[in-house]
Amino acid sequence: MKLAFRNAYFSLSSRSLNPNPNLPLLPFLLRRVSDSVAPPSLRRLVMETPCSASMAVGESESHAPLSSPPLEKQFEGFCVQLDESGVLRERIRAVVMEIESTTRLMHAGLLLVHQARPSPEVLERPKAQIGVLKELYNRLAEILRECPAQYYRYHGDWRGETQTVVSLLAFMHWLETGNLLLHTEAQEKLGLNNLDFGLDVEDYLIGICFMSSELPRFVVNQVTAGDYDCPRKVLKFMTELHAAFRMLNLRNDFLRKKFDGMKYDLRRVEEVYYDVKIRGLTANDDSTGDTTNQEQPQGLV
């Protein structure tokens, strides 16, 4: 018996011990032992064990999971959609880069406003870029017509640039008229409409907040240039604008943060107006002038 097990041990060390690695090793050893010492009944049991093991291995291989054709078809469709979306996004980004370049030219032209009093010659160069922006936004609208109902899917690609455009247009409009650029007027300048490709209301409001942050610097530079009535005009405009924003129920998002910054801009303008006022550099109000004119005839009588 010991001699048989010793022979089986030495057989394990040989390379030809188990040529089929899928078969269990224990039945193979028992077969070598049973050849010399096991009774016939045990020998038959050992001989049947490798067969059952091989059948189990074959059944496990036959039950291996196969790829499902509907699953492959679904992901092939996803691949096509992602490729098309990537190509479309690249086309959008190409137009957005041109919009960003145009806004840099407009901003560079508007910087001259802070050096001297605004004049039509200073605003002529930035205003010439409005037609370029209108053409670029028309190209952007044509691209989005190829994917209807996908406006807000790609909206983030041009959102920041549009907010900057609105701030520049609103600042130029205020320099010319002293009034706020309305939402419909901004859409008209850019050639947009609410049907296919419109100006998002939140982008418009954020752009107005950007514009208001430029006014305190403008006030300081205008007072330095000798325009002591500018703080009064800007203060009146920003007070009305801040009161209008107070009507909105804003969430704790980026728009709310920009609105919170508007009150600090308003405070800076108030400080400039206060400094000019206490030094007696401001002109008399219209109401004061009217009172003086009314009191003078009474004295003559």
Side-chain angles (χ1 to χ4, degrees):
M1 185 69 177
K2 293 181 179 180
L3 180 62
F5 275 104
R6 188 180 298 110
N7 293 334
Y9 174 79
F10 286 111
S11 298
L12 284 173
S13 62
S14 63
R15 295 182 179 179
S16 60
L17 173 64
N18 190 9
N20 189 359
N22 293 327
L23 295 179
L25 183 62
L26 181 60
F28 183 77
L29 295 176
L30 293 176
R31 185 195 303 178
R32 299 297 299 268
V33 176
S34 63
D35 289 340
S36 57
V37 298
S41 59
L42 181 60
R43 191 178 304 172
R44 287 195 302 270
L45 179 61
V46 172
M47 292 297 293
E48 294 176 356
T49 303
C51 298
S52 60
S54 62
M55 292 175 61
V57 173
E59 291 177 359
S60 62
E61 293 178 354
S62 63
H63 289 292
L66 300 177
S67 59
S68 176
L71 187 62
E72 293 181 356
K73 185 176 181 181
Q74 173 182 263
F75 277 85
E76 288 177 357
F78 290 162
C79 183
V80 173
Q81 293 179 8
L82 292 176
D83 291 340
E84 293 177 352
S85 177
V87 173
L88 187 65
R89 197 177 295 275
E90 291 179 358
R91 295 172 58 191
I92 292 174
R93 287 301 305 168
V95 179
V96 171
M97 290 179 64
E98 297 185 35
I99 294 176
E100 184 180 0
S101 178
T102 305
T103 55
R104 286 199 300 267
L105 294 176
M106 295 178 63
H107 192 265
L110 285 175
L111 288 177
L112 300 176
V113 175
H114 297 284
Q115 298 178 3
R117 295 192 179 186
S119 61
E121 292 77 11
V122 175
L123 298 177
E124 183 177 357
R125 182 181 175 185
K127 288 176 62 177
Q129 301 298 326
I130 297 178
V132 179
L133 288 174
K134 187 175 183 179
E135 181 181 356
L136 292 174
Y137 274 97
N138 287 335
R139 288 171 51 186
L140 199 59
E142 291 177 359
I143 296 175
L144 288 179
R145 290 191 186 99
E146 301 177 7
C147 51
Q150 297 291 327
Y151 176 87
Y152 284 102
R153 180 180 181 182
Y154 303 101
H155 176 230
D157 292 335
W158 67 82
R159 183 173 187 176
E161 288 74 11
T162 302
Q163 296 168 0
T164 303
V165 168
V166 172
S167 66
L168 296 175
L169 294 177
F171 188 44
M172 289 190 296
H173 184 78
W174 181 84
L175 291 174
E176 293 179 333
T177 64
N179 299 320
L180 177 67
L181 178 69
L182 301 180
H183 180 267
T184 54
E185 295 174 344
Q187 286 195 135
E188 184 179 355
K189 288 180 179 292
L190 297 176
L192 305 179
N193 56 73
N194 292 324
L195 298 178
D196 299 329
F197 186 88
L199 177 60
D200 186 73
V201 175
E202 189 169 345
D203 293 344
Y204 167 78
L205 294 175
I206 294 176
I208 297 300
C209 292
F210 286 160
M211 184 270 293
S212 67
S213 63
E214 194 74 15
L215 293 177
R217 180 190 177 192
F218 177 75
V219 168
V220 173
N221 292 325
Q222 291 303 302
V223 171
T224 305
D227 187 3
Y228 302 117
D229 193 43
C230 181
R232 180 186 62 82
K233 297 178 181 178
V234 175
L235 180 60
K236 181 177 181 297
F237 171 77
M238 292 196 64
T239 302
E240 295 176 354
L241 182 62
H242 185 266
F245 265 87
R246 296 284 295 179
M247 298 172 60
L248 303 177
N249 184 16
L250 301 177
R251 304 181 301 272
N252 292 327
D253 53 4
F254 184 71
L255 177 57
R256 178 56 186 264
K257 293 179 181 179
K258 299 307 297 182
F259 167 67
D260 292 339
M262 185 184 297
K263 60 184 178 182
Y264 297 105
D265 298 331
L266 178 61
R267 184 179 301 175
R268 291 174 58 189
V269 175
E270 289 176 344
E271 292 175 355
V272 175
Y273 178 71
Y274 174 76
D275 292 339
V276 173
K277 185 73 173 179
I278 62 175
R279 287 170 172 81
L281 300 176
T282 59
N284 293 330
D285 297 336
D286 296 336
S287 58
T288 306
D290 294 339
T291 304
T292 306
N293 294 331
Q294 291 177 1
E295 292 177 352
Q296 185 174 0
Q298 293 177 1
L300 294 175
V301 174

